[in-house]
Amino acid sequence: MESLQIPPVDLRLLTPLLIVVGWASALLLIDVFFVPDGRKKITGYLAVAGLAVAGLAGIPLWSVSGSTFSGMLVLDRYSLALTWIFLIAGALSIAVALDYLPRHAIEQGEYYPLIMFAVGGMILMAQSADLITLFLGIELLSITLYILTGFAYPRVASEEAGIKYLVLGAFAAGFFVYGIALIFGATGTTSLAGIADYLGRQPFRPQDETLFLVGASLVLIGFGFKIALAPFHMWTPDVYEGSPTPVAAFMSVGTKGAALAALLRVTLAMDAAREFWLPLLAALATATMIIGNLGALGQSNLKRMLAYSSIGHAGYILLAIMVTAERGAEAFLFYMLAYTLTNLGAFGVLIALEQRGEAAWSIDDFAGLYQRRPLLAVAMALFMFSLAGVPPTAGFMGKFFVFTAAYAGGLGWLVLIGVITSAIAAYYYLRVVVKMFMQEPVRDVRPELTRGLNAEILIAGVATLLLGLLPTPIVLLAERSLAALGG
Amino acid sequence: MDAFPILSLVLWLPALGALGLLLVPRENAELARRAALIVALLTFLVSLALPFGYRATPGDATTMRFVENLPWLPMFGASYSLGIDGVSLWLVLLTTFLLPIVILSTWDSVHVQVRNFQILMLLLATAMIGVFISLDLLLFYIFWEFTLIPMTLLIGIWGGSNRIYAARKFFLYTFSGSVLMLVAIIGLYVLHRDALAATQPGYAGTFNFSAILANLRSGALQLDATVERLLFGAFFLAFAIKVPLWPFHTWLPDAHVEAPTAGSVILAGVLLKLGSYGLIRFNLTLFPEASRWAAPAVAILAVIGIIYGAIVAFSQSDMKKLVAYSSVSHMGFIVLGIFALNLEGVSGAMLQSINHGLSTGALFLIVGVLYERRHTREMAEYGGIWKVMPVYAGITLLVALSSAGLPGLNGFIGEYTIMQGAFLAPELGWPFLAFAVLGVVLAAVYLLRMYQSVFMGDLRNPQNQNLSDLNPRELTALAALCVPIIALGLYPAFAFGPMQASVGETLAGIATAVAGR
C-alpha cells in the first residue's frame, strides 16, 4: 500500500498568520491565569503588541513569494499588503475598545484574543489560493464575530444582533459550501489555479458549464452576504446597531475588506468566465451603491447611518474588483486602506460620545460638539468629508483611483452611478458636519476621550489627511504588491 | 535654471498663515485679526510681482508664465503643475487684492470665534488661488472642491438666521455639479491616454492641461462629436452652477443673504469667478466644436439670467438680496460674453469678471456697513442717509454707478465690450444685444432706486439720526476698492494688454473649428 504523501510545508510563508493565531491562543490562557480582573487592559496592550510583532515579521517577507500546503495557501505581496491593512484595522479596533469595555461594564479579557483570531481569519482569507482554505478563513472570522457581536450580552440588542448575524451567517456559509461543491463537481478541483486552468480549456461539456455557473453564483451569494452587497445587506444595519461599537467598527472594515480581497482573487481565477460574472457584479454594485446611500439618507441613528454608508462603500470597492486589469487591484488596495482608516476614525468619535448604559447614537447628540470639543469635531468633520469623497482627503483619492480604473475598464456608466450616489451621500455626511458646527447642543453629552481613543483618532485623522495629500508612496507600494498577482 | 517659485509662494502663504494662526489663543480676537491682515497684505504684495514679472517676461505671448512642475502622482501623470497666463493673472490679483479688504471688514462684522474665521478665510484664499493657477486637471479639481469646505463653514457658522439651510444648499448644489466634472476629467484622461498609447506603448497618460490641449490641437487626440459634447456638458454644468447661470442660480441668493459680510464679498468677488474662469479655460479651450454648438443655447440662458436677475433685484426690499440678484444679472453678462466666442466677448467677460468682483464686493461691504449700525437691511427703514453719512453716501454712489455701467467707470468698459462681442458673433447677433441693453437699463433702474430710497430724501426714521460715518477701517477698505474701479474705467488697456494674447490663444481652437467648416 502506498504511503500517504505529506506535501512539503513552508511555515515561513505563514509567519504573520501563525504569530497572530499563536499569540491569540496563548493570550487566552495568559489572560485567565496572569491578568487580574479589572486590569484587563493589559491583555489589550499585549494583543496590540502581538499584532505589531506580526506586522514587523511580515517585512522580511516582502521579497519572498511562494505557496505551501500543496498550493492551498500563498504568500505574495498582495496578501502581505492586505495583512498589514488588517493588522492596522485590528490594532485600531483594540485601541478603541480599551476604555469602551470597562465603561460599559462588559470588560472581559477574551475580547482581545477574539479580535486577534478574527484578524487571523482575515489574513487566512487573503492568503488563500483554494476555495477550501478560503472557507476556513471565512468561518474563523465569522465564528469569532458571532461571539463578538453578542459580547454585550446583558443588552438585548447585542444578543439579538449576535443571533441575527449567526443565522444569516450560517445561511451564507451554506450557500458558499454548496457553491464550492458544485464548482468541484464541474472542474474537479477547488484550487483557484486549477479552476483558472480548467476555464482556460474551453469549451467544456454543457452539463459541466451549468454546474460551474450555478456553483459560481452560489459562491457569489455567499460573498454577497459577507460583504453586505445589496440585496444581501439586510442584516447589516441591525447587527451594527446592536453590536458593541468597537465590534461594529471592526466589522465595517474587517469582514468586508477580507471578503472583498478574497473575491478579487476568485474573480481573477475566473477571468475566463468574465462575461458571466461581470454583469452580475455590475448589477450588484449598482444596487449596492444606490441602496446603501439611499438607505443612509433617512437614518437619524449614526451607527445605522455608518452601516448603510459601509454598504455604499462596498459598492464602490466592487467597481475596482471588476477591472483588475486597469489598475483596479491597486485602486482596491488604496481604497481599502483609506476606508479602513477613515471609518475606524469615525467610529472612534462615535465611541467617545457613547455614554454608559445608553448609546449616544442619535445624530442630535453631535449638535454643538464643536463648541465643547473642537478638535474632536474637526476630526469627525475630516472623516465625514473623507467618506463623502471631498478633497483633499484619503476618501477622495480612493474614489478617484477607483473611478479612473473603472472608467478605463469600460465601466463608464457605473462610474456615473458612482458619482451620482456620491453626491447623494454628501447630503448625509454633511448633515453630521452641520450638526457639529452649526447647531446648538440638544442635550448634555460628555465625550470621554481616553488615551487609547485619542491615539486612534489622531492616527486615523493624520493618515486620512496624508493619504489625501500625498498618496504616491502608498500607490507605489500597492503597485509593487500587485506585480506578483499577475493582475 | 529654475526660477523662483513665486506662484507657490502666493498660493501657500495664506495657508501657512492659517496654520500659524492656530498658535494664536482662541480668545485673542484682535491678535488673530491683525495676524490675518498681515498675512493677507503680504500675499498681496508678493502677488504684485506677477503683473510686473509678466510684462517683463519676453517671449511667446501665448504660453504660460511662471510655470512650476513637480511630479505628484507619476503613475497617473498627475503633477503639481502651476502657471498663469493673461486670463488667470488678473483673477489671482483680484483674489489677493480682495483678501486684505475682506479681513479688514471682519473687525466690524465678525464677533465670535474670530480666530477660526480668519483661518477658514485664509484657507479659502489658498484654494481659490489654486483653482486659478493649477495647470493639472486633477490638482485643479482638488482645489476646486476644497473651496467648498471653508465656504460652507463660513456661511454655516457665522451666517444669519437661516444659515444652516443656506450652507447646506450651497454645498450640495455645487458638490453635485462638480462630481460630473470629475467623471469628465477622468474620461478625458483615459481617452487621451488610450489615444496616445496607440503610438507610444506603455504611455501612462497625463492630467497636464497644456499637454492634453496640445494633443487635441495637433490631432493626436481626436474626440468624437458626441463624446466632446458630453464632456463639454459635464464641465459646463459644474461651472454653470458656480457662476451661477440661470436656472442654476437658486443657491446664490440664500448663500449671499445668510453669509456674513466678509463671506458675501469673497463669494461674489472671487468664488463666482471660478465658474467663469473654468468656462474660458476648459470649455472653450478643450471643446471648441462643442462650445460653438452650445453657444446659442447658453447665450439664451445667459440673457434670461440678465433680465430675470434684474427684474427680481428690482422687486427686493432687502438690500443684500438686491445685490445678490444683481449678481445673477451681471454674471449673465459674463457668460454671454464668453459664449460670443470672439476676442471682444471673451476679453469683455474677463474684464467684467474683475469689475464684478470689485463693484459687487464693494456693494456687499456697503450693505454690511449699514447693517452693522442698524441690524436691518430693509430699504424702507432708511432714507436720507446722505445727511448723516456723507462720505459713505458718496462712495456708495460711485460704486452703484460703476455697477450700473456708467461710462468712465470700470463697469461700462466690460459691458460695452461684451455687447460688442455678442453683436459681432455670427451665432448671436442683435437680438442678444437688445436684451443685454435692456439689462443695462434695468441695472441702472434698480441700483438707483436703492440709492434713492436709502440715501436721498428726508431723514424720516429717527433711529438713523445718530448714525456715524465710516470709521477709518471701513473707509480704507472702500477707498481701496474705488482705486481700481476708477483706474480700470479710465485706462482699461492696462488690463486688456496681457489678456489679449491669452484670450486669442484660448480662441485659437474655435477659430480653427470655424475655418474647418
Side-chain angles (χ1 to χ4, degrees), chain B residues 98-382:
Chain B
L98 283 179
L99 189 61
I101 293 177
V102 160
I103 288 173
L104 214 51
S105 82
T106 61
W107 259 272
D108 298 301
S109 66
V110 176
H111 307 289
V112 289
Q113 301 191 41
V114 175
R115 183 195 66 166
N116 295 342
F117 186 94
Q118 312 292 358
I119 290 177
L120 288 174
M121 191 52 90
L122 291 175
L123 283 179
L124 182 61
T126 287
M128 293 187 303
I129 296 171
V131 169
F132 291 135
I133 64 178
S134 294
L135 291 186
D136 184 277
L137 285 169
L138 188 61
L139 194 65
F140 160 79
Y141 186 80
I142 287 176
F143 282 124
W144 170 272
E145 286 286 72
F146 181 67
T147 57
L148 291 184
I149 298 177
M151 194 67 220
T152 305
L153 293 175
L154 284 179
I155 298 173
I157 299 178
W158 290 272
S161 53
N162 204 11
R163 60 186 196 276
I164 293 176
Y165 171 77
R168 197 181 271 174
K169 193 168 175 181
F170 166 76
F171 185 93
L172 294 175
Y173 245 75
T174 32
F175 186 76
S176 318
S178 23
V179 289
L180 285 181
M181 182 163 76
L182 179 62
V183 180
I185 289 176
I186 292 173
L188 195 62
Y189 160 77
V190 172
L191 288 170
H192 176 252
R193 188 194 65 180
D194 291 352
L196 264 74
T199 51
Q200 310 167 29
Y203 179 62
T206 181
F207 280 95
N208 189 292
F209 169 76
S210 308
I212 292 179
L213 182 63
N215 285 324
L216 263 175
R217 292 208 172 145
S218 73
L221 165 64
Q222 283 175 340
L223 296 177
D224 179 64
T226 320
V227 173
E228 188 184 339
R229 284 171 193 178
L230 284 175
L231 292 175
F232 172 91
F235 274 96
F236 177 77
L237 189 65
F239 299 140
I241 289 177
K242 196 72 119 190
V243 164
L245 185 65
W246 186 89
F248 308 108
H249 66 279
T250 59
W251 63 267
L252 179 87
D254 289 313
H256 263 321
V257 171
E258 298 305 328
T261 300
S264 293
V265 174
I266 213 77
L267 185 63
V270 186
L271 215 63
L272 305 186
K273 309 309 176 301
L274 302 187
S276 54
Y277 167 77
L279 286 173
I280 296 174
R281 171 71 81 232
F282 298 104
N283 280 65
L284 295 199
T285 321
L286 291 174
F287 315 113
E289 193 56 62
S291 301
R292 237 177 36 71
W293 166 75
V298 177
I300 288 173
L301 293 183
V303 167
I304 294 178
I306 293 174
I307 304 292
Y308 168 87
I311 291 175
V312 179
F314 180 74
S315 61
Q316 298 303 322
S317 60
D318 179 317
M319 283 187 274
K320 209 171 181 186
K321 274 194 182 154
L322 185 148
V323 180
Y325 276 103
S326 86
S327 264
V328 176
S329 180
H330 282 122
M331 294 309 286
F333 269 104
I334 293 174
V335 175
L336 179 66
I338 293 173
F339 280 86
L341 302 181
N342 50 29
L343 201 58
E344 292 81 4
V346 177
S347 310
M350 278 310 305
L351 189 67
Q352 193 62 7
S353 289
I354 310 296
N355 293 338
H356 178 260
L358 298 170
S359 311
T360 309
L363 280 175
F364 276 118
L365 275 182
I366 283 166
V367 174
V369 165
L370 264 193
Y371 182 76
E372 287 313 319
R373 284 167 174 64
R374 288 274 282 102
H375 293 281
T376 175
R377 293 184 295 249
E378 288 298 316
M379 282 188 264
E381 289 281 322
Y382 299 101

Side-chain angles (χ1 to χ4, degrees), chain B residues 67-84:
Chain B
V67 173
E68 291 171 36
N69 225 328
L70 287 173
W72 175 45
L73 267 174
M75 60 291 284
F76 285 92
S79 54
Y80 171 79
S81 175
L82 308 176
I84 53 171

Side-chain angles (χ1 to χ4, degrees), chain A residues 85-140:
Chain A
I85 296 180
F86 297 154
L87 290 172
I88 292 173
L92 292 181
S93 304
I94 291 175
V96 294
L98 286 174
D99 292 290
Y100 178 92
L101 297 181
R103 197 173 353 136
H104 290 253
I106 51 171
E107 186 175 42
Q108 313 246 357
E110 292 86 17
Y111 179 89
Y112 308 107
L114 279 174
I115 290 273
M116 290 187 79
F117 278 121
V119 171
M122 284 151 63
I123 298 175
L124 188 59
M125 287 164 79
Q127 289 200 296
S128 293
D130 191 292
L131 291 175
I132 297 293
T133 43
L134 179 56
F135 182 68
L136 211 62
I138 293 183
E139 285 307 285
L140 177 56

Side-chain angles (χ1 to χ4, degrees), chain A residues 1-5:
Chain A
M1 193 181 154
E2 215 179 320
S3 68
L4 196 65
Q5 286 289 317

